[in-house]
Amino acid sequence: MNLLIKQKPRSFRLSTPSRKKIKLTILSLFALTFQISTATSSKEVNTNRVDLSLVQKIVKGKVTDASGLPLPGVNVLIKGTSIGVQTDYNGEFAIEVADTQTILVISYMGMQEQEVTIGKGPIVVALKEAGEVMDEVVIVGYSKIKKESLTGALQTLDNKKLTDITTPSVENLLAGKATGVYVSSGNGQPGDAGKIVIRGKTTVNGSTDPLWVIDGVIVGSSSGNMNPADIETLTVLKDAASTAVYGSQGANGVIIVTTKSGKSGKATINASIKTAATTVNTGNFDIMNGQELYDLYDSFPNKQDFSNAWWWTPELRNKNYDWWKNATKTGIARDFNLSINGGSDVFKSYVSLGIYDETGAIKGYDYTRYNLLLKFSYKVNNWLTIRPQANITRTETEDKQHSVGAMYGNMPWDNPYLPDGTLVGNQPNPTWVNTTGSNYLYDLQWNYGESERYSVRTNLDFDAKINSWLSFTSTNNYTFSNYNSMTYIDPRSSEGLSVKGRITDETTSNNRFYTSQLFKFNKSFGAHAVNAIAGYEWNEYNGKSTEGVSTGIPPGFIVADAATVPEKVKGNRSQWAVQSLFTNINYTYDERYMAQFSIRRDGASNFGENARYGNFFSISGGWNIHKEKFFKADFINNLKLRASYGSVGNRPNGLYLHLPLYSVSSGYNENPGALISQIGNPDLSWEKTFTTGVGLDISLLNRINITLDYYDKDTSGLLYEVPLPGVIGVTSIWRNVGSVNNKGFEASVNVDIIKNENWRWNVDANIGLNKNKVTSLYGTKQQIIVGDGTGISGSANKLLTPGKDVDTWYLTEWAGVNPDNGKPEWFTTNAAGERVKTSDYGEASKNQIAIDAYTPSYYGGFSTSLNYKNFDFGATFSYSVGGKIYNYARAEFDSDGAYTDRNQMNLQKGWSRWEKPGDIATHPQASYNNNSNSNKASSRFLEDGSYLKMRSVSFGYNLSIERLNISNLRIFVSGENLFTITNFSGVDPEIPPFERGGVRTITGVSTSVYPQTRRFVLGFNLTL
């Protein structure tokens, strides 16, 4: 176990001993829990020991999966006792039973539990995997429903399909695996999470994040820092029939996560160890070396402007400091998980510990996360079951990361080290070609940052069985989170020199209380079956943060007490609450006809006074055509038609957009004062989305499963900051204006190509198409020009106008290169309204137009898995076709000589630069300090965003070692993000989300980002 604890030496950091204590405390707590669980299990076995005089026979049997492959490590338990065995490597078992014991309970992680009656001969059981069979029970909107009775559009993924990549982020696990779910993976920095958009953007200013529900608790717009290894199933709810029961929070879809729970039977220990070597992957983005940059400068027609400079010598061509090589390395990611699972019909427990540690492929960044999950179920009596759980997470980062921007921009002619080996000091530096540049390594020898976050999510839930058809479920959650960070700027560094050093301490804490009280009705009347819920829900949040900045510190001191100047102090508090009443009714007649109705009434604190409460509903139906008497196609196992219509909402991002606000952060002569900063709107409400959906589920030959869905979503009342005359001191007000429409089609197919005892070959593929457009704006407004979401000066703009996509680019139109003189050209509109070419960018920029959009034409993924005896192979790919990316990085690094203070990129295959009259080229003539404006924002930098990305490929071998009580040991190797096929010239066509003002958005703008990493993984999964 000591191998799992990595202690990093670090100078003058006071927090190191405390971190070590916390690590040891967590491991000690896990060991204690393990001892208690083992002791409890042993006690139960003793108290339920069979009197050998009553043993009548030994029952033998075999357990397989649905395709007939044997399953090792399956729990076989005599019902009503804790007596059980596990299947061996061949899936076989033998158990002694008494004459009065007639039922065995067969359970296995990720499979449906089955009860079998003991007969005269051997027992053969085929367990059914979640997501593969029609009698599967799916968790949907506070209740469990048979999959064949569903009327909504959803998709369930089990743990096996999710955890094929090495990442701490649950969001990134979904890429390419769920139909209609677009995942923009995070950048390659350890711990960074992706962003999910389900069925297109329904808003222009509000959040596009789906709602996350974990173990019945609404947790917000992200999965938090939960451990992917603890996931049992993940279900994506997509249409109104599935999401309307979540009311004003369901417009962007809902993701329901169910964590693993204790199973009846012998205690099972599962352990997994994965170690990955990571390297940065810069895609097609190729920065020049010293020789290439020299040749570019040497080709400039105005070389006389710098040829007499001291730095321009032939020797410069041989200078080539590799900033990338200096700042990157082979990173290491380690993922350790240990769980204990077991119990009886009375008491069940699941305890897990996860440790994820990654050192970045860019030097100086370390991310570590600890997860502890304690989950219990205690059946007090025949009508009451208590389900307590605690999920404890701690993350920490250590940041002395090398500068990503410097790796792209710093020139290969400039060396960070002097001839004597010491670092080049404060800038500007006359020894560099780029005399205005800075040597980040000089500051990095002292400056650093560190942070840590604690999160404790606790539940005390209980189920009360009132009678055979009515029950009551109470879910009660309290979550506490605390974040603190420290940034140290040394007085000797360039950044800290003027203020004699700076320390910034930040602390944020929040707590959430969530409670849901549900009555559940489930009863059959002959051919009629009703499944219904009615409930009340309360969700409350309280948060506060403080920040202190102090300067004037002696070198090496990292506490504010050592500072002489209290530079700044900040703090804020925030609160919100939502309460709801809701009901959902599912009706089935003769397993052929299904109907569903739900209604919810939400009240939220961040709605206006006149719109504090809102109603949301859905109605849907389904028809199992294959169960009709007239249906005679035996090769069709399932044929279901679905249809739905309903409404959901999207709450404002801000908490107080509806209130009149005053700013009191400024004053006069040290006296506080107040200035109006926002006009209130008592009518401000949620964005309303009405969705119509039609779907078809088909199963053929017990091998082929097809799902088809069409949807039409209309969103109105968009939250928008409408401009006001500035004479009143406030320039805008938040209102519900405008509307957006999304239409789309989704298809998925799963095929078992080969299914027999030795071989199993499965292929899974999905595709999603979404067309998005603005349908109206406010008042008589026909178009609004907005930024691209990055806030970068000189970047692209977007246009909101009826009939166009919400991600439509609004740019000066690039016309190419004049073959006669090599000058850049753009299109403009003349007095006659004709589009003509001009080399005057100022003139052309007055006539910008809507050009393409970032939204892809279609996207999805496909995967395959192959099993032969003890061997397994799997591969997963994702793709996106269409959509235009604005490659802002080219404005800097493909600038035709406009920027002489940074490196440049090599031309891509198929590109060419103008050299002489008559050349048909993609790039204008380059010159030193080029003033032609050829690198200004225009459609020149719009590029096709299509790609095919290999997410993962793995090869494994399974074996059992009975003499060591190892029921299964899987050894595997895998590769992740090994290649991307694309014509995009940037780092990665899968643009990571851009964070601005605390909000993460998908902008479609590519900058010089932290690259994604390739991973080569060696792993072991062990079951005892």
Side-chain angles (χ1 to χ4, degrees):
M1 186 62 71
N2 289 334
L3 294 176
L4 304 183
I5 303 175
K6 184 174 67 175
Q7 183 65 46
K8 305 176 184 68
R10 192 172 55 182
S11 61
F12 51 79
R13 300 194 184 183
L14 301 179
S15 57
T16 299
S18 62
R19 283 200 307 274
K20 184 175 180 181
K21 290 179 181 178
I22 292 168
K23 292 177 181 178
L24 293 175
T25 301
I26 291 176
L27 294 176
S28 299
L29 177 59
F30 181 83
L32 177 61
T33 306
F34 171 74
Q35 293 171 7
I36 294 172
S37 177
T38 304
T40 302
S41 178
S42 301
K43 181 178 179 181
E44 288 170 348
V45 171
N46 291 335
T47 58
N48 291 279
R49 183 170 294 147
V50 176
D51 186 343
L52 293 180
S53 65
L54 298 178
V55 172
Q56 299 296 316
K57 58 185 175 182
I58 296 178
V59 177
K60 295 182 178 181
K62 184 175 183 177
V63 183
T64 69
D65 64 10
S67 65
L69 290 174
L71 290 175
V74 176
N75 292 319
V76 181
L77 184 74
I78 300 173
K79 186 174 182 179
T81 75
S82 294
I83 302 169
V85 296
Q86 287 188 334
T87 57
D88 61 17
Y89 180 71
N90 295 317
E92 298 176 348
F93 68 90
I95 186 170
E96 294 178 334
V97 298
D99 185 40
T100 57
Q101 296 166 335
T102 59
I103 297 177
L104 297 180
V105 180
I106 316 294
S107 63
Y108 189 67
M109 190 70 70
M111 300 286 190
Q112 287 186 312
E113 185 179 281
Q114 287 193 33
E115 293 186 0
V116 295
T117 303
I118 299 171
K120 293 182 179 181
I123 293 174
V124 178
V125 179
L127 291 181
K128 298 172 182 179
E129 194 172 320
E132 289 189 352
V133 291
M134 295 311 300
D135 58 349
E136 174 196 353
V137 175
V138 181
I139 298 176
V140 184
Y142 303 93
S143 60
K144 297 180 181 179
I145 303 174
K146 282 188 176 182
K147 189 173 182 180
E148 68 172 6
S149 300
L150 291 175
T151 57
L154 57 86
Q155 187 170 358
T156 297
L157 302 171
D158 65 11
N159 183 271
K160 292 180 181 179
K161 293 181 180 179
L162 288 171
T163 54
D164 59 342
I165 61 174
T166 309
T167 175
S169 167
V170 176
E171 284 84 346
N172 291 344
L173 300 176
L174 280 171
K177 298 173 185 174
T179 312
V181 178
Y182 183 81
V183 180
S184 176
S185 297
N187 61 44
Q189 182 169 285
D192 194 64
K195 183 176 174 63
I196 294 173
V197 176
I198 300 175
R199 290 188 166 184
K201 288 185 177 181
T202 58
T203 182
V204 296
N205 268 318
S207 171
T208 58
D209 294 316
L211 181 71
W212 287 79
V213 181
I214 301 177
D215 287 337
V217 178
I218 294 176
V219 298
S221 60
S222 74
S223 65
N225 285 307
M226 73 173 304
N227 185 1
D230 287 333
I231 296 176
E232 178 82 40
T233 61
L234 184 151
T235 301
V236 182
L237 310 182
K238 296 181 280 189
D239 69 342
S242 303
T243 62
V245 73
Y246 291 99
S248 64
Q249 305 165 88
N252 300 316
V254 180
I255 297 178
I256 297 177
V257 177
T258 303
T259 60
K260 295 175 181 177
S261 300
K263 307 291 184 183
S264 299
K266 177 184 175 182
T268 302
I269 300 175
N270 290 282
S272 68
I273 301 173
K274 290 195 288 186
T275 301
T278 68
T279 59
V280 293
N281 180 6
T282 57
N284 295 329
F285 196 71
D286 183 22
I287 291 292
M288 291 183 177
N289 60 30
Q291 177 181 325
E292 292 163 340
L293 189 62
Y294 182 93
D295 292 343
L296 173 65
Y297 273 57
D298 197 40
S299 70
F300 289 159
N302 58 340
K303 194 166 58 174
Q304 69 276 3
D305 290 353
F306 61 86
S307 58
N308 293 325
W310 64 267
W311 50 268
W312 183 251
T313 64
E315 291 76 20
L316 193 64
R317 196 170 190 266
N318 299 320
K319 286 187 175 183
N320 185 36
Y321 186 80
D322 193 336
W323 289 92
W324 277 93
K325 183 177 180 181
N326 171 75
T328 59
K329 64 175 182 178
T330 299
I332 300 294
R334 303 176 184 87
D335 192 7
F336 305 97
N337 288 283
L338 179 65
S339 67
I340 305 170
N341 166 46
S344 66
D345 287 346
V346 175
F347 181 80
K348 302 172 186 177
S349 66
Y350 176 83
V351 182
S352 76
L353 173 68
I355 301 176
Y356 183 92
D357 182 84
E358 183 174 356
T359 56
I362 294 178
K363 296 176 182 176
Y365 194 89
D366 190 9
Y367 171 89
T368 307
R369 188 183 70 193
Y370 306 90
N371 290 90
L372 177 65
L373 176 60
L374 309 172
K375 195 172 183 182
F376 307 100
S377 174
Y378 177 55
K379 188 174 183 180
V380 180
N381 49 44
N382 291 332
W383 62 272
L384 179 63
T385 300
I386 300 174
R387 296 180 287 108
Q389 69 167 292
N391 195 328
I392 304 169
T393 302
R394 180 180 188 271
T395 61
E396 62 178 30
T397 63
E398 300 176 9
D399 187 4
K400 293 196 70 173
Q401 182 174 289
H402 288 234
S403 171
V404 176
M407 287 192 294
Y408 289 102
N410 280 11
M411 304 177 92
W413 300 330
D414 295 330
N415 194 312
Y417 295 97
L418 297 171
D420 63 0
T422 59
L423 286 167
V424 171
N426 297 330
Q427 300 300 316
N429 174 32
T431 67
W432 280 12
V433 174
N434 175 24
T435 56
T436 62
S438 62
N439 179 17
Y440 75 88
L441 293 175
Y442 182 80
D443 282 7
L444 195 62
Q445 63 185 319
W446 298 298
N447 299 346
Y448 70 94
E450 60 183 16
S451 69
E452 57 186 7
R453 182 187 299 275
Y454 298 88
S455 179
V456 180
R457 180 166 55 88
T458 59
N459 273 50
L460 183 58
D461 309 335
F462 65 87
D463 300 321
K465 185 177 180 180
I466 300 172
N467 54 40
S468 61
W469 48 266
L470 183 64
S471 63
F472 176 76
T473 296
S474 178
T475 301
N476 306 283
N477 169 266
Y478 181 81
T479 299
F480 170 78
S481 179
N482 183 78
Y483 169 83
N484 64 80
S485 68
M486 187 276 295
T487 303
Y488 172 77
I489 305 299
D490 194 274
R492 295 164 291 185
S493 67
S494 303
E495 186 179 354
L497 192 63
S498 62
V499 293
K500 298 181 176 62
R502 175 182 283 117
I503 296 173
T504 303
D505 290 303
E506 181 182 356
T507 300
T508 301
S509 64
N510 63 72
N511 62 79
R512 293 182 66 164
F513 173 67
Y514 172 90
T515 183
S516 172
Q517 313 302 321
L518 289 175
F519 284 96
K520 297 183 177 181
F521 178 95
N522 194 343
K523 190 171 180 60
S524 298
F525 312 86
H528 307 274
V530 178
N531 183 306
I533 62 168
Y536 170 81
E537 183 178 271
W538 174 267
N539 200 349
E540 177 183 336
Y541 170 91
N542 293 277
K544 62 180 180 179
S545 66
T546 58
E547 181 182 357
V549 182
S550 50
T551 59
I553 54 175
F557 284 81
I558 62 170
V559 291
D561 279 352
T564 58
V565 180
E567 182 179 4
K568 181 173 60 176
V569 62
K570 296 195 302 182
N572 66 71
R573 290 176 179 257
S574 56
Q575 295 177 312
W576 58 259
V578 178
Q579 69 171 344
S580 311
L581 289 169
F582 55 90
T583 185
N584 183 74
I585 303 171
N586 289 272
Y587 168 76
T588 303
Y589 175 74
D590 198 26
E591 297 185 343
R592 288 181 293 163
Y593 311 115
M594 291 80 67
Q596 179 263 355
F597 173 76
S598 71
I599 187 168
R600 179 176 178 121
R601 182 168 176 80
D602 271 351
S605 62
N606 55 341
F607 292 163
E609 182 180 351
N610 298 335
R612 186 59 44 85
Y613 285 88
N615 299 321
F616 308 88
F617 75 95
S618 74
I619 184 169
S620 61
W623 180 22
N624 280 326
I625 304 173
H626 64 286
K627 292 194 174 184
E628 294 289 354
K629 292 180 180 180
F630 64 78
F631 192 82
K632 304 298 182 182
D634 294 337
F635 65 94
I636 298 180
N637 313 112
N638 175 61
L639 181 61
K640 180 165 70 174
L641 180 65
R642 296 175 281 105
S644 65
Y645 178 77
S647 65
V648 283
N650 193 18
R651 285 166 50 209
N653 277 342
L655 299 182
Y656 313 112
L657 304 182
H658 60 294
L659 296 176
L661 300 180
Y662 290 82
S663 172
V664 294
S665 59
S666 59
Y668 176 75
N669 196 26
E670 296 186 353
N671 292 312
L675 295 173
I676 186 171
S677 62
Q678 178 176 289
I679 295 179
N681 180 2
D683 298 315
L684 192 69
S685 185
W686 60 92
E687 299 178 343
K688 306 171 185 67
T689 299
F690 291 84
T691 303
T692 302
V694 179
L696 188 66
D697 301 324
I698 310 170
S699 295
L700 309 170
L701 304 172
N702 288 315
R703 287 175 179 263
I704 304 171
N705 298 292
I706 301 171
T707 299
L708 306 174
D709 276 288
Y710 171 82
Y711 61 88
D712 188 338
K713 299 198 299 184
D714 283 305
T715 303
S716 60
L718 299 182
L719 291 158
Y720 197 80
E721 201 169 5
V722 177
L724 292 175
V727 293
I728 60 175
V730 179
T731 58
S732 63
I733 183 174
W734 283 97
R735 289 178 178 166
N736 293 102
V737 296
S739 57
V740 169
N741 176 264
N742 281 269
K743 293 180 180 178
F745 174 76
E746 299 167 358
S748 66
V749 58
N750 180 281
V751 183
D752 287 321
I753 299 175
I754 300 175
K755 286 198 307 183
N756 58 47
E757 186 174 352
N758 292 326
W759 287 91
R760 180 172 182 178
W761 182 18
N762 175 271
V763 174
D764 199 335
N766 68 77
I767 185 173
L769 297 81
N770 183 80
K771 297 297 182 181
N772 177 300
K773 66 178 180 180
V774 176
T775 53
S776 69
L777 296 174
Y778 60 90
T780 59
K781 200 75 174 177
Q782 291 301 305
Q783 67 176 31
I784 303 173
I785 301 169
V786 295
D788 56 25
T790 64
I792 299 174
S793 176
S795 188
N797 285 325
K798 288 181 179 176
L799 177 70
L800 297 177
T801 189
K804 296 289 186 180
D805 192 293
V806 296
D807 276 323
T808 296
W809 299 109
Y810 187 71
L811 293 164
T812 304
E813 186 179 9
W814 175 252
V817 179
N818 188 324
D820 298 328
N821 55 26
K823 291 184 178 181
E825 292 185 315
W826 300 270
F827 284 108
T828 188
T829 303
N830 63 17
E834 301 171 326
R835 297 292 282 174
V836 295
K837 295 181 180 180
T838 178
S839 290
D840 185 344
Y841 178 80
E843 179 184 346
S845 63
K846 297 176 183 178
N847 293 275
Q848 295 181 351
I849 62 172
I851 306 176
D852 296 312
Y854 173 59
T855 304
S857 301
Y858 56 93
Y859 55 90
F862 56 91
S863 62
T864 184
S865 61
L866 179 66
N867 296 81
Y868 172 69
K869 292 186 176 180
N870 302 343
F871 296 93
D872 63 76
F873 170 82
T876 302
F877 297 82
S878 66
Y879 64 87
S880 179
V881 177
K884 294 293 185 178
I885 296 172
Y886 186 78
N887 193 355
Y888 176 78
R890 284 182 56 194
E892 293 187 73
F893 306 112
D894 187 21
S895 68
D896 307 319
Y899 287 117
T900 59
D901 61 347
R902 66 202 69 178
N903 202 351
Q904 296 293 289
M905 62 183 286
N906 284 304
L907 300 185
Q908 301 288 305
K909 182 180 179 180
W911 292 0
S912 60
R913 188 173 297 281
W914 189 94
E915 294 179 354
K916 61 184 185 302
D919 284 351
I920 305 299
T922 60
H923 283 54
Q925 184 180 38
S927 61
Y928 189 73
N929 285 328
N930 192 333
N931 60 3
S932 69
N933 291 319
S934 62
N935 69 323
K936 296 296 184 181
S938 76
S939 60
R940 174 189 179 183
F941 300 133
L942 285 182
E943 299 187 33
D944 182 17
S946 302
Y947 66 84
L948 171 64
K949 178 170 289 191
M950 194 230 71
R951 292 288 175 185
S952 67
V953 59
S954 65
F955 180 77
Y957 180 75
N958 300 270
L959 70 157
S960 64
I961 308 174
E962 294 183 4
R963 60 188 178 87
L964 297 178
N965 293 319
I966 297 176
S967 59
N968 188 59
L969 172 63
R970 179 174 182 259
I971 305 170
F972 66 94
V973 293
S974 66
E976 301 168 13
N977 291 327
L978 294 186
F979 64 83
T980 301
I981 300 174
T982 182
N983 290 323
F984 179 63
S985 68
V987 176
D988 193 339
E990 190 177 46
I991 308 299
F994 191 91
E995 184 167 345
R996 186 184 182 197
V999 178
R1000 288 161 59 88
T1001 58
I1002 301 176
T1003 64
V1005 178
S1006 176
T1007 58
S1008 50
V1009 298
Y1010 194 125
Q1012 281 282 347
T1013 56
R1014 290 190 180 97
R1015 296 175 179 242
F1016 301 91
V1017 186
L1018 173 65
F1020 302 88
N1021 293 336
L1022 175 69
T1023 301
L1024 299 175

